[in-house]
Amino acid sequence: SVDLAGIAAVVAAVDGRIPVIGNGDITRPDQAVEMMQTTGCQGVMIARGAIRCPWIFAQTWELLRTGIPGREPTAAQKMRIMLRHLDLLVDHRGPGEAVRCMSQRVSWYGKTMGHIKPLKESIRLARNPAQIRAALMAWLDREEAWMEQHRAGGLQFVGMAN
């Protein structure tokens, strides 16, 4: 657990001569702001919190800039982020590492996306990046079709009779 008092002590000890960057337990934008306000540190590092939610940086910046946290990405936007992650892994680590990493990281992404167990299983069972891409694209297509239908007013709620 983060020691905010320890960070504040370092800030006081350097008395503005050296910028202090706080770190630890930041998984939401408000925690970054709280750390800066509580300790007086000039910035924060976000590590593990970004594994589950790489969009935390944009949300935190928006909160610092406007006082309102950035919006949570839609499921479709999260799928695009996962596709970009896959592309970067292939480009920088190679296909084998991309498959290994995405099969591990999908559970972290999934914690922010509701019921996606079939997608997680497809990615975990994939043997190459093309299979992961196909699974993500199929899920993205389904999500975008649902959103389009929803925007067009095609979805209606049918209540249960008493």
Side-chain angles (χ1 to χ4, degrees):
S1 136
V2 67
D3 179 5
L4 295 178
I7 296 170
V10 171
V11 170
V14 299
D15 194 29
R17 295 183 309 263
I18 301 169
V20 175
I21 309 300
N23 184 30
D25 296 341
I26 297 175
T27 58
R28 297 186 325 265
D30 61 296
Q31 292 169 324
V33 172
E34 178 186 354
M35 179 180 283
M36 292 174 73
Q37 290 173 344
T38 301
T39 67
C41 67
Q42 287 75 28
V44 297
M45 287 188 285
I46 302 172
R48 280 180 298 219
I51 294 172
R52 179 188 299 181
C53 304
W55 44 87
I56 191 174
F57 300 105
Q59 290 176 312
T60 302
W61 174 245
E62 190 68 16
L63 179 60
L64 288 167
R65 199 172 61 76
T66 69
I68 300 168
R71 293 173 52 156
E72 180 83 6
T74 65
Q77 290 169 328
K78 290 175 183 180
M79 292 292 159
R80 287 188 196 93
I81 290 168
M82 292 172 73
L83 285 163
R84 176 72 174 136
H85 189 181
L86 175 65
D87 291 342
L88 289 170
L89 285 166
V90 170
D91 289 350
H92 296 282
R93 299 288 189 162
E97 182 59 26
V99 170
R100 279 188 294 282
C101 184
M102 288 303 288
S103 70
Q104 294 169 350
R105 296 290 187 255
V106 69
S107 64
W108 286 78
Y109 280 118
K111 290 178 183 185
T112 72
M113 299 175 70
H115 179 70
I116 63 164
K117 187 174 181 178
L119 174 63
K120 290 192 291 189
E121 286 304 307
S122 294
I123 291 174
R124 283 192 188 118
L125 295 173
R127 298 197 181 283
N128 59 57
Q131 290 175 338
I132 294 175
R133 175 172 290 289
L136 287 167
M137 290 302 296
W139 202 270
L140 177 60
D141 289 346
R142 193 175 88 191
E143 184 66 29
E144 287 179 334
W146 184 89
M147 289 300 295
E148 185 58 36
Q149 186 178 16
H150 182 69
R151 275 193 294 274
L155 296 179
Q156 298 178 9
F157 176 76
V158 178
M160 304 239 343
N162 289 344

